[in-house]
Amino acid sequence: MIAALSVDLDEIPHYHAIHGLPPPSAQSAHLVYQRALGRIEDFARAHELPVTFFAIGVDLTGQAGAGAGAGAALRVLALRGHAVENHSLCHRYDFSRLPPAQIAAEVEDGAAAIAAAVGSRPTGFRAPGYLVSDAVFDALDEAGVAFDSSVFPCPPYWAAKAAVLAAMRLRGRASSSRCDDPRGILAPPRPDPPGARWFQRGGARRFVELPVQVTPRARLPFIGTSLAMAGERGARWLARSLRGEPLVNLELHGIDFLDASDGLEALIPVQPDLRKPLGARLDALSAAVAELGRQGRAWVRLDEAAAAHAS
């Protein structure tokens, strides 16, 4: 009975691109590293949690503007017992549709950028937008990763995303986001080595898949956005529904630790969760974490969860 908390460090320009908005100002482009990262550490310290961070390689190289300061901050967090894993080099939303050589480069170059900045090579991977394919899993096998945590077998999330993208197209607005293969919504929701096809299990791959968490049966999302929208009572209910799960893989994003007043005014009309005050969202997250603690779960990093399920 274990639980893991991971945070994707997607910066603000990615959200503007998803919603078809102009790029953010220079002052708000790097709020995840400038403001959210410290708040994430404060939250982790308050709840005595190890965190698995998924970093984008270019954010640590200087090419995207965050540069050495971002890498140094993650190096300190790694020294304090947290993990820094690979979220690809550039976080391209067409990642899974790229030619195999480009997919492999996104995986390998992202890992190399993180290793150079943090001092240790990542052992895990999470794809941009939860978008994977057989070619992606081939690249992960070739790269020798210990685990992947990209599959999100959540029909409500897939349907909501498809509806939003369709509405945007009707309004003539372009989104960088994509819908993945719908077969993924019925992929196995528990950890296991993947099969020959990415949405199957069966042990054909050398790494372990740690799916992003959904509830049993209804497969409701158990991620930062859903907890924020559910509030404290709803977050506790969602956490209680996971009592029988061997691993609870709770995924958040850096933006979950930012408030509208931080400089996110342009995103307020298109992201309902940001309309809730940061304090209320953190209270909901704390309620879920506390409920998982009452279940007797030990909190681990995702690399430790992968090792437990591989043995």
Side-chain angles (χ1 to χ4, degrees):
M1 294 286 287
I2 56 177
L5 177 71
S6 63
V7 182
D8 296 359
L9 298 175
D10 307 0
E11 273 292 7
I12 306 307
H14 295 293
Y15 294 94
H16 279 244
I18 286 172
H19 296 295
L21 299 173
S25 66
Q27 290 75 26
S28 61
H30 305 292
L31 287 171
V32 168
Y33 279 99
Q34 291 170 352
R35 298 191 185 181
L37 201 61
R39 295 171 186 171
I40 297 166
E41 186 179 17
D42 290 343
F43 183 87
R45 187 183 300 111
H47 293 280
E48 300 182 333
L49 308 174
V51 179
T52 302
F53 294 97
F54 283 93
I56 300 166
V58 294
D59 286 340
L60 311 183
T61 64
Q63 298 177 39
L74 290 181
R75 181 186 286 263
V76 169
L77 289 170
L79 290 172
R80 292 174 179 168
H82 304 292
V84 182
E85 303 291 358
N86 187 5
H87 201 24
S88 80
L89 178 66
C90 298
H91 201 276
R92 293 182 57 160
Y93 284 103
D94 61 351
F95 167 70
S96 64
R97 304 180 186 184
L98 294 173
Q102 287 183 254
I103 291 174
E106 281 285 313
V107 174
E108 177 56 35
D109 293 350
I114 292 166
V118 177
S120 59
R121 185 177 174 86
T123 62
F125 184 81
R126 176 169 287 152
Y130 317 114
L131 302 176
V132 291
S133 64
D134 292 338
V136 169
F137 276 16
D138 289 344
L140 297 181
D141 247 345
E142 183 66 25
V145 303
F147 73 92
D148 175 70
S149 184
S150 304
V151 175
F152 189 23
C154 183
Y157 173 85
W158 193 96
K161 185 177 183 180
V164 168
L165 293 178
M168 288 182 66
R169 285 193 296 269
L170 287 175
R171 296 196 300 269
R173 288 172 56 188
S175 172
S176 64
S177 189
R178 303 283 189 275
C179 272
D180 60 354
D181 188 326
R183 289 175 293 185
I185 64 179
L186 297 178
R190 289 185 172 183
D192 208 11
R197 303 302 305 275
W198 69 267
F199 49 84
Q200 299 171 337
R201 297 292 179 269
R205 305 287 183 176
R206 294 190 294 271
F207 59 88
V208 176
E209 178 62 35
L210 304 176
V212 175
Q213 194 66 49
V214 294
T215 64
R217 293 177 291 279
R219 295 200 177 201
L220 301 176
F222 190 76
I223 58 176
T225 304
S226 58
L227 296 178
M229 298 304 293
E232 290 184 63
R233 181 178 297 180
R236 280 192 293 269
W237 179 85
L238 287 167
R240 282 196 294 270
S241 74
L242 302 172
R243 284 185 179 276
E245 298 302 302
L247 167 67
V248 173
N249 182 9
L250 172 56
E251 184 234 16
L252 311 175
H253 284 81
I255 200 171
D256 294 332
F257 292 83
L258 294 173
D259 205 24
S261 61
D262 287 317
L264 301 179
E265 289 81 6
L267 291 174
I268 301 305
V270 291
Q271 289 207 198
D273 54 314
L274 290 177
R275 298 171 204 163
K276 290 196 169 192
L278 176 60
R281 287 183 275 132
L282 293 183
D283 286 345
L285 180 57
S286 294
V289 167
E291 174 57 35
L292 294 174
R294 282 190 287 271
Q295 296 172 17
R297 296 183 181 274
W299 287 90
V300 299
R301 303 188 309 259
L302 280 180
D303 61 313
E304 296 169 326
H309 283 89
S311 61

